[in-house]
Amino acid sequence: MAARSLTIAGVLLDARTLRLDPSFVVDEAPTPPAEGGPDAPGVVLIESLDAGGETLEVTPVDTAPLCLLPSDQATPRLLAGIVAVQDRASGLRFHYQGYAVHEVRFPTAGPKVRLRWTNDDAEAALSGGLRMIEWSTSHPENADVASLPMFFSEGRGWQPLGLASAATAIPIDFDDVPGGEACRIRVLATDGAHTAIAETQPFRVRAKGYQAVILAPDDGARLTADAPVALAGQAFHWEDPERTTEDLEWTSTLDGALGTGPLLDVSLSPGDHVITLRVAGEESRPATVVVTVGPDPCERPDREPRD
């Protein structure tokens, strides 16, 4: 009995309303069925239907609360998982707390997708900057098609560039994605039951190395002179998420070198400072904040003594 793995994601707004996101066929194992069984609280029953609307199988999938609301309000619940669906299934029906909350019917044929990508695009990616990624979709049965653009780098694998939607273009800033010698762009197009893929040939994107991040102080902060200032920072590696470092250098446009390390307490002279954090001895992208150091606003000039 042939089956395919289908992503299932959505939000139960209340006991009778499911807002379902577009589903994609993926090469991944199905999520294990809900531990508590089909009658456990919070479980959604996903019923596979044949062409005549008869049940082929039922899969229980757990949900999780998205937030806590007052007891008199329904708590939205997240539905997410991968479900094995028989190839002869013609649709899905979703049940929650005894109610049929959603139903989808599958087209018999799948969509097509064509990604627009040229050598000029590859050269633009190497140069960095913002560029539009464009593609086109079609469907033989005029079914709705949702697309999900993705970016691949050797160190981080495939990462989505946005959410699945009906859009056929998205801007990507090649200064803000990991670099490498064999990067790729992929677009997945789905009608909810079938998924088509368009993908570029490998191309080069400039490597970024480390990215410094200043956690404190905040940009635009007003600080008090003669009081210690806490500096906190860290760095991540664009191309290799496993690489870490604490070899960080802090500088100020007014006071020069402030020290090294992820955490420092420093004294800053009065005035406007541009504080910079960078990784020492490595290719890196620095971070900066602007702060103003002035007198303590709680202090008042001494008053003239009374006679």
Side-chain angles (χ1 to χ4, degrees):
M1 183 172 57
R4 59 188 182 273
S5 292
L6 201 65
T7 63
I8 301 293
V11 176
L12 279 160
L13 301 178
D14 52 48
R16 300 194 183 190
T17 309
L18 171 63
R19 186 180 64 200
L20 195 66
D21 295 334
S23 297
F24 291 85
V25 178
V26 293
D27 295 326
E28 298 180 39
T31 304
E35 292 184 2
D39 298 325
V43 166
V44 169
L45 302 179
I46 302 178
E47 181 183 7
S48 294
L49 308 173
D50 66 12
E54 298 298 320
T55 302
L56 295 172
E57 60 184 333
V58 177
T59 304
V61 178
D62 274 321
T63 64
L66 281 175
C67 57
L68 295 178
L69 296 178
S71 58
D72 60 341
Q73 298 182 34
T75 299
R77 300 185 67 87
L78 174 66
L79 171 67
I82 298 175
V83 175
V85 178
Q86 295 182 29
D87 284 344
R88 64 191 185 97
S90 294
L92 299 175
R93 184 181 294 130
F94 298 79
H95 297 265
Y96 183 65
Q97 295 184 354
Y99 296 104
V101 294
H102 196 77
E103 183 171 332
V104 293
R105 284 289 175 172
F106 296 158
T108 57
K112 295 182 179 180
V113 58
R114 180 175 177 271
L115 180 59
R116 302 188 181 102
W117 185 260
T118 67
N119 290 335
D120 290 341
D121 294 314
E123 292 178 6
L126 180 59
S127 300
L130 193 68
R131 186 168 182 84
M132 292 296 296
I133 306 301
E134 299 178 309
W135 62 94
S136 60
T137 62
S138 61
H139 200 286
E141 299 175 26
N142 295 319
D144 292 335
V145 176
S147 300
L148 178 65
M150 307 184 75
F151 179 80
F152 175 86
S153 63
E154 296 97 322
R156 294 186 176 266
W158 287 106
Q159 296 178 301
L161 293 172
L163 299 175
S165 71
T168 56
I170 190 171
I172 174 174
D173 191 340
F174 285 102
D175 289 327
D176 287 334
V177 295
E181 298 296 321
C183 298
R184 284 172 284 164
I185 292 172
R186 168 188 287 179
V187 175
L188 307 178
T190 183
D191 59 9
H194 314 88
T195 300
I197 301 175
E199 188 175 304
T200 68
Q201 293 295 317
F203 58 92
R204 184 183 173 201
V205 174
R206 180 178 56 82
K208 282 77 176 179
Y210 281 105
Q211 171 70 62
V213 180
I214 295 177
L215 305 176
D218 293 332
D219 189 34
R222 301 188 69 86
L223 309 174
T224 302
D226 301 325
V229 175
L231 305 181
Q234 62 186 29
F236 68 88
H237 200 282
W238 280 94
E239 285 72 43
D240 185 355
E242 300 300 320
R243 290 183 64 180
T244 60
T245 183
E246 293 188 352
D247 194 7
L248 307 175
E249 295 180 341
W250 298 86
T251 59
S252 161
T253 50
L254 289 186
D255 295 339
L258 299 176
T260 61
L263 297 172
L264 286 178
D265 284 332
V266 299
S267 295
L268 298 177
S269 57
D272 294 329
H273 294 251
V274 178
I275 296 176
T276 300
L277 176 65
R278 56 173 48 87
V279 176
E282 293 271 359
E283 180 181 4
S284 67
R285 302 173 71 177
T288 62
V289 295
V290 178
V291 300
T292 299
V293 178
D296 188 340
C298 295
E299 290 185 358
R300 293 183 296 177
D302 291 337
R303 295 179 179 178
E304 293 292 332
R306 294 182 180 179
D307 297 332

